[in-house]
Amino acid sequence: MALGFTDDRFATDVHYLGGLMLAENPFWAAAMLSTMSLPPDPVLYGDGWRDAWAKRLDASPPWMEPWASHQRRDAYWKHGSVCEDYSAIACPVFAVTGWEDGYVEPVFRLMENLTVPRKALIGPWAHTFPQSGQPLPAIGFLQECVRWWDQWLKGRDTGIMDEPRMRLWMQDSVRPQRTYEERPGRWVAEDAWPGSSQVRTLYLTSTGLRDTAGSGSAIVRSPLATGECAGRLAGYGGGPDMPSDQRADDGRSLVFESAPLGEDLEILGAAEIALTLTSDKPQAMIAVRLNEVRPDGTAMRVSFGVRNLAHRDGSEAPKPLEPGKPYRLRVAMKPVAHGFARGNRLRVAISTSYWPIVWPSPQTPSLALDLSDAKLALPVRVPRDADAKLHEYGPPEAARPEAITVLAPDLTTRTLEIDEMTEHRKLTMVGDYGLQRVDSYDLTAGLYSSESTEITGEDPASARTTAEWTASLSRGDWHIETKARLSLRCDAENFHYEASLDAFEGGKPFRQLTWRKSFPRDNM
């Protein structure tokens, strides 16, 4: 059973995407630094807990350093990436994720490349368990786990292998929101991957998305703030972390739009853009988005993809572009199951920045696109008979939770500040998870996180991301707290990283650790 996982630690995780550094790196490094530095519980460990805590703190690793120092797909990332040798997997595999999670591509790669018995389940969920169902619908996932394990660990024929190999939630068209309580749709089935989807080609022309190729060229040079409507790379479903109305980002992009659809259109798989372009800078990136536009103009992001153009031939040996030289490339978007509604339009948006999802190029490039053979490949799916024969999932089940007393409620906020004089933009996301006491154990735990991303005008060297995590534990007179802070900034040649970890016992300093280091930009 693999849930919310990666098969490629460089290409599909929280560090890099499309050969570009993710802005979330400091967020995860600070989370690890704070939570992994908590002490053993004196009730369980005994009198030596404080010495053990000191030893743990002194050995705290600088989490961000190896991630930032390996900016290409080298041995550091290949180690532990099962895509290096799918044949090494000898056990049956049940791969599970949600469309709003950041770990969708690995499920499709496993289904295509494994030779062992395998199944896939993809719901509408974010990075959470299917029985929690964020967004809804939740399912009786634990019952499915028991069926799987009874089949392969106890040798019982549960019928699970007689069902379609892949079960996926086909999402209906909805209005864009930062969070959803529920995503309407239906379950569909595929017996293998590649599945039943057939490619439909639309061309990017001077008059929009059309069925025949056009001519001419187009220039795109996006403001660095393009990406403010993106949401998080991998949300948790309970906060304002999903893509919002895309119109602001579309206004900063080069867009190609279809005529209104004459009938509903469903896609399943990864849409892909193929085009020829030239750059006026040796370092550049491209972001492509597939949106659904309603008659009132609201635009929902259906999927997206990004590519560091220095990684156009792979991420093991990136090399700069030759300004003015044409390059043919393909940009695959994140796989999705989505139904476009009749009367709505398809829109492709192309930009040269996607901040704060990925780090901007060291210079602001202009890309010239050749429109004589620029095309969108859509994986169009026609409903299958097997869709209507899928068994119903049982209701969500879980073990009885521990009795919890909420001492302070949680609060999640997302705030964008814009200084129109300086064009400084700061996006802050706060996750204050409050205070909760486990009653049977008399242990109170608190967790607070804050992540901010900043950029000013058209200066890529102004990009900065800062993350803070505070974790606390208390019981009676015993109270400890760890505070981690990490920031990453850049100039044209380097990334600069600073981090600190402060540990407190009873409100008094117990340990303070600091790190500071610079990393040359490696075609990044």
Side-chain angles (χ1 to χ4, degrees), residues 13-51:
D13 207 335
V14 296
H15 311 298
Y16 295 89
L17 184 67
L20 292 156
M21 180 177 284
L22 287 164
E24 284 198 0
N25 265 294
F27 179 79
W28 291 108
M32 297 298 292
L33 191 59
S34 176
T35 55
M36 296 295 284
S37 61
L38 290 169
D41 191 327
V43 170
L44 298 176
Y45 195 92
D47 293 339
W49 74 270
R50 189 176 288 104
D51 291 338

Side-chain angles (χ1 to χ4, degrees), residues 441-465:
Y441 200 53
D442 190 28
L443 181 69
T444 297
L447 188 63
Y448 172 91
S449 70
S450 173
E451 178 185 12
S452 65
T453 54
E454 303 175 60
I455 204 159
T456 301
E458 297 309 304
D459 179 12
S462 66
R464 185 185 189 102
T465 180

Side-chain angles (χ1 to χ4, degrees), residues 291-409:
N291 298 336
E292 180 177 12
V293 185
R294 305 172 77 89
D296 64 1
T298 55
M300 178 183 186
R301 195 191 74 188
V302 175
S303 189
F304 81 101
V306 294
R307 175 70 69 85
N308 181 344
L309 298 184
H311 290 236
R312 61 196 176 276
D313 297 321
S315 293
E316 294 189 29
K319 50 185 179 293
L321 297 163
E322 183 180 327
K325 177 181 177 179
Y327 294 92
R328 185 73 177 171
L329 76 148
R330 297 177 182 273
V331 183
M333 301 184 217
K334 180 181 176 182
V336 70
H338 180 82
F340 294 85
R342 179 179 179 273
N344 292 351
R345 299 171 184 260
L346 279 66
R347 177 184 290 167
V348 169
I350 298 177
S351 61
T352 55
S353 179
Y354 208 46
W355 176 262
I357 295 292
V358 292
W359 214 267
S361 302
Q363 298 173 303
T364 50
S366 292
L367 300 180
L369 311 185
D370 180 354
L371 299 184
S372 64
D373 191 26
K375 52 192 176 183
L376 165 69
L378 278 177
V380 176
R381 184 183 188 275
V382 176
R384 304 174 64 231
D385 291 342
D387 298 346
K389 299 176 182 178
L390 292 169
H391 77 277
E392 293 289 333
Y393 284 122
E397 293 182 0
R400 184 175 61 188
E402 285 278 356
I404 298 291
T405 297
V406 176
L407 303 177

Side-chain angles (χ1 to χ4, degrees), residues 481-494:
E481 187 175 68
T482 61
K483 294 183 177 182
R485 187 180 190 278
L486 196 146
S487 68
L488 186 67
R489 58 182 180 85
C490 69
D491 53 38
E493 290 80 30
N494 298 283

